[in-house]
Amino acid sequence: MIPMIPAQPMPFEALTPDAYRQLEHAASLKGLLKPFKGKGELEHLAQVAREIEAQLCHLMEVVVQQARQPPYSLLDIRLVLQNTSAGSTFLRWRTRDFARMGVAAWERQVSNRALPQAVREGLHRFEGERIALNLQMSVVHSLYRQATTCAIKMASAEQLLRQFTTAVEVSG
C-alpha cells in the first residue's frame, strides 16, 4: 500500500552542466590519447581517474539526498550508494525491506497505478540520473584500473631494461 502522496509536481533538480563543469576539464581525452613515456605518466592518469571518481561520487550523493526527500521518502524504494569490492561506487535501487534490489524494484514502483503521475515522472528522472552516473563511474573506474595495471607493467619493463643494461655493462 502506498501512503497518501500529493499529486503536484515534485521538486527535482537534475544535475546541471555546472555540476559537471569541473569534471569536463579533468576528464579531457587529450591526456589519454598520447604516447606515454613511462610509468609516471600512467600513474598520473590513474590519479586523475581517482579524483574524477570522487567527484562523481559527490554527484551521486546529491542525487541520493534528493531521493530521500518527500514524497520519494514515503515510497517503498530507496536510491542508495553501493560500494563494490572493486573499489567503486554505484547507485542502486532497493526496497525498504531489502527484499528486492535493482531495476526490478524501480520498475515495480513505477508500474504501481496508485502512484501519482508526477511522482512516477520524478522516479523516471532519478533513474535517468542513476543510469548516466553509473555509466560514467564504470568508465572512469575502468580507466583507473587500466592505467594502474599499465603503470605496473611499464615499471616492470623499465626494471628489466635496467637490469639487462647493468649486466651488459658489468660483463663488457
Side-chain angles (χ1 to χ4, degrees), residues 1-2 5 31 36 55 60-61 67 72 84 97 104 112 120 129 145 150 154-155 163 172:
M1 184 171 120
I2 294 181
I5 298 174
F36 290 96
Q55 292 171 340
M60 289 176 167
E61 289 169 357
Y72 309 107
T84 68
D97 62 3
N112 186 333
R120 188 176 287 113
E129 295 281 5
R145 282 193 338 266
C150 289
M154 189 76 76
Q163 288 173 348

Side-chain angles (χ1 to χ4, degrees), residues 2 75-78 92-95 100-115 120 123-124 127 130-131:
I2 294 181
L75 300 175
D76 188 38
I77 61 171
R78 300 285 175 263
R92 301 282 191 244
W93 291 107
R94 71 165 176 81
T95 56
R100 281 191 166 73
M101 198 160 185
V103 176
W106 176 83
E107 288 173 346
R108 184 174 179 175
Q109 187 70 72
V110 170
S111 299
N112 186 333
R113 293 181 187 269
L115 198 65
R120 188 176 287 113
L123 287 172
H124 177 262
E127 177 63 356
R130 186 192 72 78
I131 291 167

Side-chain angles (χ1 to χ4, degrees), residues 2 7 15 23 56-57 59 86 96 106 109 117 124 134 148 157 171:
I2 294 181
L15 295 176
L23 289 170
L56 283 170
C57 197
L59 293 179
R96 244 185 241 218
W106 176 83
Q109 187 70 72
Q117 184 62 26
H124 177 262
N134 283 353
T148 301
S171 67

Side-chain angles (χ1 to χ4, degrees), residues 47-62:
Q47 177 187 347
V48 168
R50 264 300 189 219
E51 291 167 3
I52 293 169
E53 278 185 321
Q55 292 171 340
L56 283 170
C57 197
H58 173 73
L59 293 179
M60 289 176 167
E61 289 169 357
V62 168

